[in-house]
Amino acid sequence: MAVFIFVIFVVFVISLSFYLGNKAKSASGYFAAGGQIHWIVNGIAFAGDYLSAASFLGICGMIATLGYDGFLYSIGYLAGWIVALFVVAEPLKKLGKFTFADALDAKFNSSGIQLAAAISTLVVSIFYLIPQMVGAGTLVTPLLHLDHHWGVILVGVIVITIVATAGMASTTYVQFIKGAMLIIFSTILVISVLYKGINLVPPAIDQAGNITEFYKYKILDAQETNNIIIPVDNSYTFISQKKIIDTKTKKIQSEFVKLSKNYPLILKDNHFQFNYMGINVSLPEDATEKLKNLSLEQSEQIININNTKYIHKTINGEKVLVLYEGRSEIIDGLRCVMQDGKLFAKIENWWKKENIDGKIKLIEAQTVSVRPNEAVMINGAPASFINQLRTVGTLEAISGNTSPDYKIDKTNPIIFLAILSDDKTIFNQWKSTKFNDGNAQITAYYPKQIKGSAVMRPGQFFKIESSWKEKIDFISLMLALFLGTASLPHILIRYYTVPNPSAARKSTIVAIAAIGFFYILTLYMGLGAAINNVLNPADSNMSAPLLAKSIGMTIFAIISALAFATVLGTVSGLIIAASGAVAHDLLDRFSNLKMSEKQKVNVGKLAAFTVGFIAIILGIIFKSVNVSFLVGLAFAVAASANLPSIVMLLFWKKTTAAGIIASIIVGVTLSVGLILFSPVMYALYGLPIENAPIQLKSPAIISVPLSFLALIIVSLLTQKKIEK
């Protein structure tokens, strides 16, 4: 069902592109849809452009994992439209023709502005393309069961086809349809979540989309003797422990303990399988014959000393006694053992060590282990289609009630928020850490209990009550979101698709209403995902589609198709903005090639192929980063590079061409430079984040003021030449 609806939607989008492509022969038709789009259609298309992968996938994921802090992104995104409405909408329509550079250069006819504005458009478009492509790969993986990079490539190919056929006309109507449907079906999803209610034991979803029983992660009592952790449950055996040390304070951040346990192997349908952490893990076909042979082998001579079994083994030419653990066979990195005539899978996994009320508690964790030969183990067993990280996201208590049978049916929006904000409501939020175990790289995911009152107020991500650096980071991000909206190329060029300035203003008002309503829905979708056991602990971007999957496969199919269309539409708009910068600004105006209308369109299509290829590469590289966070960086670059020149051109008569050029150069260089040397990029480089020379996560608080300052100073310095 999901794949069918997905394919139907993609075929419809491409068919619409070819149909409208026959009408987009001129440059005006290709880059600005002929300036004849109705303001209501354009307003919803604005919403479609803006409700990108970051809004639908990223914000829902951030709310699900970070609570109210994720919702602050929604507030920042929406607030940016106030700038667009009161500052940019009508004046920009009066100044421009096709592109952002048209507006800036309307009064000057400066080749320098044409070059700087075109480069700025390309840089901002590429930065904004990264999270869209990351979101595309994340979405396609569970829907079509493709690897992330194939999802990114698939989106790239489809989008390039859309842009190369019809340009802005196709993009506008795709965004209109998608924007309207996204709001309608997100509303249906929220109503379904409220109707479903709140409970402590929501079922999980496996990789095949099947609903599975709720799995309660274990907590073991343990004792410590001579640095050896001994679980009270003797079915577990201690192997080793790992202490995570803070590189700055040199204090222990956290401790993990590695335990092993044998799980019975059962032969079913000619496959050996075992039940572990709530799912049946099957061994590959070639394991069946190996394990059958293992059971037929002759028993070793076992020597029993003090109820402990030993066998003789020859080591370096000498016969010595070693501990007998049973005959064994390694299957894809998993040790299978024969003990007392029975076959077992020996699982080794990590547990988080906590001291609670003076007692040692071992909390069951989930792990991903990657070995030098790139073999991947999930929770101690070989990674497979079924054996992936289990979905998480549950409540430990509902307003103080901890009984598994306790639940609240059919809530309404107010009661839903009130219950989750209760000080006695406890969320199980999953955190992660990385460490090495010999030559294997381990990523451990573990639950942490947090009060509902803490989840529903700022502080999980933006620690504004702590250091000055955290406060500045928060202000910097909000500044980027507030100023970035009116600076995004694919948003700016949409003002050229309507007939007049009045229509531009009305389009903006429609967009604000639609976007504001949708962002309220993201709060409920994100919190719904946080409590309904649908979160992938390694990737929050799929929260909303997986929430839909827990409701039913039909709505999952529709929501997934719409999310995919969200990516298609936004990427299309960005590539059109970038291709317009190349064909219209760089080649036609800056290089003065004087191309015909048809040549402009052809060059624009060629540029679309190039930018699309770059977007595919970057989408694969930035696979693991939350898309909403990446969009925050794109907004920071846009606010730094574009907004100062737009605002000052409209409202300061002394603005000069040289000032605008200086502002764009300073804004682009500073924002990109600060990002490249930030903790986020150092993490991607594989370097310690504390070594990053720039400790700000968002550069806007530095780059935006300096961009304004550069424009003012250079404009004043070049004012004298104009007067003379």
Side-chain angles (χ1 to χ4, degrees):
M1 170 66 77
V3 175
F4 176 74
I5 293 177
F6 173 82
V7 171
I8 290 295
F9 204 92
V10 170
V11 169
F12 167 74
V13 168
I14 294 177
S15 301
L16 181 65
S17 299
F18 278 103
Y19 170 73
L20 294 172
N22 294 325
K23 301 182 179 182
K25 301 301 183 183
S26 68
S28 175
Y30 182 79
F31 293 115
Q36 297 301 314
I37 301 295
H38 192 276
W39 58 269
I40 292 180
V41 174
N42 200 51
I44 300 298
F46 258 135
D49 265 328
Y50 205 64
L51 301 180
S52 61
S55 295
F56 186 55
L57 302 178
I59 289 179
C60 288
M62 293 194 84
I63 293 172
T65 54
L66 300 172
Y68 189 79
D69 280 354
F71 189 56
L72 287 175
Y73 270 86
S74 294
I75 295 171
Y77 288 145
L78 182 61
W81 279 94
I82 303 301
V83 178
L85 175 62
F86 291 109
V87 177
V88 171
E90 292 191 45
L92 200 70
K93 173 60 184 175
K94 293 175 183 177
L95 289 173
K97 184 180 179 184
F98 296 152
T99 65
F100 164 63
D102 282 342
L104 290 187
D105 197 37
K107 296 180 180 179
F108 301 107
N109 193 25
S110 164
S111 58
I113 289 180
Q114 294 158 11
L115 177 62
I119 292 173
S120 170
T121 298
L122 287 171
V123 171
V124 174
S125 296
I126 288 172
F127 261 87
Y128 203 86
L129 277 168
I130 296 171
Q132 311 309 320
M133 302 305 281
V134 170
T138 301
L139 184 65
V140 169
T141 298
L143 187 64
L144 301 181
H145 306 307
L146 297 173
D147 290 336
H148 179 273
H149 64 276
W150 286 114
V152 173
I153 292 169
L154 177 65
V155 170
V157 171
I158 295 173
V159 166
I160 289 171
T161 302
I162 293 171
V163 175
T165 51
M168 182 55 86
S170 171
T171 301
T172 297
Y173 283 101
V174 168
Q175 292 290 47
F176 169 72
I177 296 167
K178 182 268 295 185
M181 291 182 67
L182 183 61
I183 292 171
I184 291 169
F185 283 98
S186 294
T187 303
I188 293 172
L189 178 57
V190 169
I191 292 171
S192 301
V193 169
L194 296 175
Y195 184 83
K196 185 178 181 181
I198 304 171
N199 69 83
L200 296 173
V201 289
I205 305 171
D206 66 17
Q207 292 297 310
N210 301 315
I211 303 296
T212 60
E213 290 185 4
F214 173 80
Y215 177 75
K216 179 70 174 177
Y217 289 87
K218 299 180 181 67
I219 300 178
L220 302 179
D221 293 316
Q223 298 174 342
E224 184 170 8
T225 305
N226 298 324
N227 290 325
I228 295 177
I229 309 298
I230 304 172
V232 173
D233 184 342
N234 59 15
S235 65
Y236 292 91
T237 303
F238 171 80
I239 299 176
S240 63
Q241 67 174 316
K242 186 77 175 180
K243 296 181 180 180
I244 314 298
I245 308 296
D246 188 302
T247 54
K248 283 187 175 181
T249 63
K250 305 302 180 184
K251 294 181 179 179
I252 297 175
Q253 279 185 327
S254 56
E255 295 182 70
F256 288 85
V257 176
K258 191 177 186 181
L259 303 178
S260 71
K261 181 179 179 177
N262 289 345
Y263 291 83
L265 280 166
I266 301 169
L267 186 61
K268 185 177 181 181
D269 298 328
N270 207 34
H271 280 78
F272 278 103
Q273 59 182 244
F274 60 98
N275 188 274
Y276 174 52
M277 291 182 76
I279 65 170
N280 288 320
V281 179
S282 294
L283 299 183
E285 290 184 12
D286 61 349
T288 305
E289 200 62 36
K290 291 179 181 178
L291 294 180
K292 283 182 178 178
N293 292 335
L294 183 66
S295 63
L296 295 174
E297 289 179 7
Q298 294 296 317
S299 299
E300 297 92 340
Q301 185 177 356
I302 300 171
I303 301 170
N304 198 316
I305 303 175
N306 295 329
N307 294 322
T308 302
K309 296 177 180 179
Y310 297 87
I311 59 170
H312 281 105
K313 195 170 185 179
T314 302
I315 300 176
N316 295 329
E318 294 186 16
K319 205 170 188 179
V320 296
L321 280 177
V322 297
L323 188 68
Y324 177 70
E325 296 181 318
R327 297 188 303 278
S328 64
E329 182 78 39
I330 304 296
I331 308 292
D332 289 348
L334 174 66
R335 183 175 294 277
C336 300
V337 298
M338 169 68 72
Q339 289 184 348
D340 300 325
K342 296 180 180 179
L343 284 169
F344 297 90
K346 185 176 183 179
I347 296 293
E348 298 178 356
N349 203 19
W350 292 89
W351 299 62
K352 191 170 190 298
K353 178 186 172 187
E354 295 280 4
N355 282 294
I356 302 175
D357 298 328
K359 297 180 180 179
I360 296 176
K361 301 286 185 180
L362 301 180
I363 301 170
E364 190 172 21
Q366 295 200 64
T367 58
V368 177
S369 173
V370 182
R371 298 179 179 178
N373 62 357
E374 297 187 354
V376 178
M377 305 289 283
I378 305 287
N379 297 325
S384 65
F385 174 68
I386 291 296
N387 186 38
Q388 296 292 321
L389 290 172
R390 281 49 165 175
T391 54
V392 299
T394 57
L395 293 175
E396 190 69 24
I398 302 172
S399 299
N401 295 286
T402 57
S403 170
D405 297 326
Y406 183 79
K407 62 180 180 178
I408 298 173
D409 292 321
K410 302 177 185 177
T411 62
N412 62 48
I414 296 174
I415 292 176
F416 184 81
L417 294 181
I419 292 171
L420 297 186
S421 302
D422 193 324
D423 199 51
K424 294 182 180 179
T425 295
I426 307 296
F427 283 75
N428 281 317
Q429 286 193 349
W430 283 69
K431 309 297 180 182
S432 67
T433 190
K434 294 184 179 182
F435 55 87
N436 292 328
D437 178 33
N439 58 6
Q441 293 180 333
I442 308 294
T443 303
Y445 303 92
Y446 56 91
K448 183 177 180 181
Q449 294 185 1
I450 300 176
K451 293 181 178 180
S453 56
V455 171
M456 297 299 287
R457 69 168 185 259
Q460 294 287 304
F461 184 69
F462 304 113
K463 304 187 185 300
I464 55 178
E465 296 178 359
S466 57
S467 67
W468 62 269
K469 185 181 79 68
E470 297 288 350
K471 294 176 182 176
I472 291 176
D473 246 335
F474 175 72
I475 295 170
S476 187
L477 174 65
M478 289 298 110
L479 184 67
L481 299 184
F482 186 69
L483 301 180
T485 299
S487 314
L488 295 171
H490 69 299
I491 296 296
L492 294 175
I493 63 172
R494 189 157 291 289
Y495 284 118
Y496 306 139
T497 64
V498 290
N500 52 60
S502 174
R505 185 184 69 254
K506 292 176 183 177
S507 293
T508 309
I509 294 171
V510 170
I512 290 173
I515 292 166
F517 178 68
F518 179 81
Y519 281 149
I520 293 173
L521 298 178
T522 62
L523 178 62
Y524 290 93
M525 287 189 285
L527 292 173
I531 66 173
N532 278 297
N533 204 9
V534 298
L535 295 177
N536 180 344
D539 187 355
S540 63
N541 291 325
M542 276 298 291
S543 301
L546 289 178
L547 175 64
K549 202 173 196 178
S550 72
I551 302 297
M553 288 303 292
T554 301
I555 192 168
F556 166 68
I558 295 170
I559 290 289
S560 297
L562 287 172
F564 190 77
T566 294
V567 175
L568 289 183
T570 304
V571 172
S572 300
L574 287 163
I575 291 181
I576 288 173
S579 63
V582 172
H584 180 66
D585 299 332
L586 285 179
L587 298 181
D588 185 55
R589 300 192 64 210
F590 174 72
S591 300
N592 201 28
L593 294 182
K594 301 299 180 186
M595 293 184 291
S596 66
E597 296 285 299
K598 185 177 181 181
Q599 287 174 323
K600 279 187 189 180
V601 172
N602 290 336
V603 171
K605 293 179 179 180
L606 182 62
F609 277 97
T610 306
V611 175
F613 177 76
I614 294 171
I616 289 171
I617 300 299
L618 294 175
I620 295 171
I621 293 173
F622 285 83
K623 171 185 175 181
S624 60
V625 184
N626 180 277
V627 292
S628 226
F629 181 80
L630 287 171
V631 165
L633 298 182
F635 271 61
V637 176
S640 306
N642 296 345
L643 189 80
S645 53
I646 295 172
V647 171
M648 299 303 279
L649 174 67
L650 295 175
F651 300 104
W652 193 43
K653 293 181 179 180
K654 293 186 177 181
T655 300
T656 65
I660 290 175
I661 295 167
S663 173
I664 294 174
I665 293 172
V666 169
V668 170
T669 306
L670 265 180
S671 57
V672 173
L674 291 171
I675 288 170
L676 292 176
F677 292 101
S678 68
V680 179
M681 294 305 296
Y682 263 54
L684 288 176
Y685 302 151
L687 301 173
I689 61 174
E690 59 270 14
N691 292 346
I694 307 298
Q695 283 296 311
L696 285 175
K697 295 175 184 174
S698 177
I701 199 166
I702 296 175
S703 53
V704 171
L706 289 179
S707 181
F708 270 107
L709 188 62
L711 187 147
I712 292 169
I713 291 173
V714 174
S715 290
L716 291 175
L717 290 175
T718 53
Q719 201 70 38
K720 294 178 181 177
K721 296 179 181 179
I722 294 173
E723 290 172 0
K724 289 180 181 179

